[in-house]
């Protein structure tokens, strides 16, 4: 790390009374952005949710207060409205308020809802994007979201609406035809129903799928399965959330790209894949 | 920035003879990950492409060699195969090789292709994800990719296949129905044709759209338009690539979330949006 600190680029001021809505990424502190680290260092108060890892929270400045705004045990989680009102209150106290969310605040992170409340209250804010689970978790598993031979489109969707149910706005037939690769966020709770919907909509039950639980953290688990067996695989492995699910023909590339495979196994798999396609 | 350097988390070794395939994000050095900055600091050679900003390249260590692997002027770009072979050659010289790509290497970044070549050659590598333009560019424009009232799915697609043509594998009807928000990468060159395809497939020509050119850089331009007028708007503003295009009802949220609007304008817009929905 020698010399690294000296090369940090200049950073914008974190003005008192402002709220920064910051993505913390999937868990590995190395995936934090420089702006996020700067915000952690400068903040007077960090309002964080359940998906922010302890390793990342430990990077907050020694004087920063920490407020938890996620679900804890069986207790009901704070209402979105309460969180937004708390952010406004803290900002009006003249504090530098860091709202820290797992992944990215604007991709299934409800960042826009909080920002709208801040905007209406005339509290200045900025978004700092984070490495969403689709990017960070799949890279850690060795699965690309796109590959030239497989797809020129990828759809991210969530298995949870605001009330915790399966979203009812999804057109399942269009979803399965719209992109050859689907990345499902927060899908573990309803995985059996979601898989059934996708198969009923025409997706082959044998379509490769992978489950990535606690991506980029020490407890990361990756399970390769198929769409039809995904829910049973998750149960058998007792996977816990957060869990990302990817469905499509990018999954088999993992044989060649899995960071935990031996170099010989990766080479053999890569040769086989290249023989089938590029050459 | 005081104290920030002291709080940098420990980083993995960049082993000689290894290749790190790293995403540089959309341009703002503040969006680099800590791992990416570490890689820049440690690398013996940086093989970078056209979408990596000068500000980011300036963060490479003083002894690092820099090799350009993108398009320059009217000259043909190096073939993908040549780039992969060059990475293998540099790694076999025992160098720490940083392959630096704009955005994220695994989302329309051809990172998997290079990784497959490295795997087949038994060259060790790792992916370091980056803030893709969809995350970074839209956050900078004040447009969320998802919002509870608008969408529980978003599709990223590209307007360019490997040969530079419109991808022929896209099912346009499914695409427009599969997700209420579409994010188009590399779509400027074929924007008139793509818009026509989307409208022909059933998407309303009046659907809100935004064009984000040179996202997060000093030259950033954001234009709000509609799907039907998008190509004409891009021409009129003489937008240059890279340009991200977002289509869907998340675009009007920008009135409340645009970082360059006045706080009064944002408040009025946010009030109007909240009146229509949450309350």
């Amino acid at each position: 790390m020698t010399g690294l600190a000296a090369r940090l680029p200049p950073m914008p001021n974190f003005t008192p009374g402002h709220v920064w809505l910051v993505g913390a990424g999937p868990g590995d502190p190395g995936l934090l952005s420089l702006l996020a680290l700067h915000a952690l260092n400068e903040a007077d108060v960090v309002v964080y949710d359940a998906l922010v890892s302890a390793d990342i929270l430990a990077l907050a400045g020694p004087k920063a207060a920490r407020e938890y705004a996620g679900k804890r045990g069986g207790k009901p989680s704070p209402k979105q409205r309460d969180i937004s009102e708390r952010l406004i209150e803290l900002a009006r106290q003249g504090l530098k308020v860091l709202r820290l969310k797992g992944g990215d605040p604007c991709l299934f992170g409800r960042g826009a809802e909080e920002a709208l409340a801040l905007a209406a209250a005339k509290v200045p804010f900025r978004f700092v994007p984070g490495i969403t689970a689709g990017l960070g978790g799949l890279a850690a598993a060795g699965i690309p979201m796109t590959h030239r031979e497989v797809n020129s489109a990828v759809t991210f969707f969530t298995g949870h609406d605001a009330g915790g149910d399966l979203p009812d706005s999804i057109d399942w037939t269009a979803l399965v035809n719209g992109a050859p690769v689907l990345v499902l966020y927060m899908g573990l709770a309803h995985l059996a129903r979601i898989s059934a919907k996708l198969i009923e909509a025409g997706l082959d039950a044998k379509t490769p799928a992978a489950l990535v639980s606690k991506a980029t953290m020490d407890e990361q688990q990756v399970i390769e399965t198929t769409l039809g067996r995904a829910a049973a695989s998750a149960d058998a492995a007792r996977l816990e959330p957060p869990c990302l699910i990817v469905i499509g023909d990018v999954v088999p590339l993992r044989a060649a790209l899995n960071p935990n495979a031996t170099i010989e196994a990766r080479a053999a798999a890569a040769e086989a894949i290249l023989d089938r396609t590029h050459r």
Side-chain angles (χ1 to χ4, degrees), chain A residues 155-179:
Chain A
T155 297
F156 294 63
F157 72 113
T158 176
H160 243 271
D161 67 10
D165 292 329
L166 208 56
D168 57 14
S169 63
I170 291 178
D171 175 341
W172 297 93
T173 303
L175 184 73
V176 302
N177 292 304

Side-chain angles (χ1 to χ4, degrees), chain A residues 8-9 22 25 27 42 45 50 58 78 122 141 161 187 196 198 203 218 221 226 241:
Chain A
L8 286 168
V22 176
E42 294 283 320
V45 56
K122 300 191 182 176
D161 67 10
L198 294 171
L203 203 55
D218 289 341
Q221 270 189 281
T226 60

Side-chain angles (χ1 to χ4, degrees), chain A residues 128-238:
Chain A
V128 177
I131 299 286
T132 185
L135 300 171
L138 293 185
I143 302 169
M145 281 160 293
T146 64
H147 184 55
R148 202 173 86 178
E149 276 82 18
V150 174
N151 61 323
S152 48
V154 54
T155 297
F156 294 63
F157 72 113
T158 176
H160 243 271
D161 67 10
D165 292 329
L166 208 56
D168 57 14
S169 63
I170 291 178
D171 175 341
W172 297 93
T173 303
L175 184 73
V176 302
N177 292 304
V181 174
L182 303 176
V183 179
L184 169 59
Y185 282 63
M186 297 172 278
L188 202 53
H190 301 309
L191 186 53
R193 283 167 64 202
I194 292 169
S195 309
K197 292 267 193 196
L198 294 171
I199 292 167
E200 194 186 306
L203 203 55
D204 192 328
K206 295 196 195 79
T207 307
L211 314 169
V212 186
S213 164
K214 303 195 173 174
T216 81
M217 291 187 271
D218 289 341
E219 307 83 4
Q220 174 177 304
Q221 270 189 281
V222 183
I223 294 175
E224 284 184 59
T225 179
T226 60
L227 175 60
R229 286 196 302 244
S233 301
D235 283 346
R238 301 184 181 200

Side-chain angles (χ1 to χ4, degrees), chain A residues 2-196:
Chain A
T2 323
L4 196 160
R7 251 192 298 287
L8 286 168
M11 291 281 155
N13 276 333
F14 196 153
T15 311
H18 285 223
V19 178
W20 284 24
L21 295 151
V22 176
D28 174 0
L31 296 179
L32 275 181
S33 69
L34 303 183
L35 273 167
L37 183 68
H38 171 62
L40 277 160
N41 189 55
E42 294 283 320
D44 295 314
V45 56
V46 182
V47 180
Y48 64 100
D49 72 22
L51 294 177
V52 174
S53 74
D55 287 347
I56 284 173
L57 213 54
L59 298 172
K63 291 180 190 166
R66 291 157 204 207
E67 288 196 13
Y68 184 73
K71 293 185 188 182
R72 178 115 62 185
K75 293 183 190 168
S77 56
K79 294 233 185 337
Q80 188 60 55
R81 186 171 198 149
D82 295 340
I83 296 171
S84 297
E85 281 175 9
R86 181 65 181 150
L87 296 176
I88 292 165
E89 183 179 46
L90 292 166
R92 286 185 176 156
Q93 289 170 19
L95 300 174
K96 302 176 193 173
V97 183
L98 168 53
R99 173 67 172 124
L100 194 60
K101 291 168 169 282
D104 177 79
C106 293
L107 187 63
F108 308 126
R110 307 186 71 173
E113 281 174 69
E114 293 177 17
L116 279 175
L118 295 169
K122 300 191 182 176
V123 170
F125 65 89
R126 73 178 288 163
F127 290 121
V128 177
I131 299 286
T132 185
L135 300 171
L138 293 185
I143 302 169
M145 281 160 293
T146 64
H147 184 55
R148 202 173 86 178
E149 276 82 18
V150 174
N151 61 323
S152 48
V154 54
T155 297
F156 294 63
F157 72 113
T158 176
H160 243 271
D161 67 10
D165 292 329
L166 208 56
D168 57 14
S169 63
I170 291 178
D171 175 341
W172 297 93
T173 303
L175 184 73
V176 302
N177 292 304
V181 174
L182 303 176
V183 179
L184 169 59
Y185 282 63
M186 297 172 278
L188 202 53
H190 301 309
L191 186 53
R193 283 167 64 202
I194 292 169
S195 309

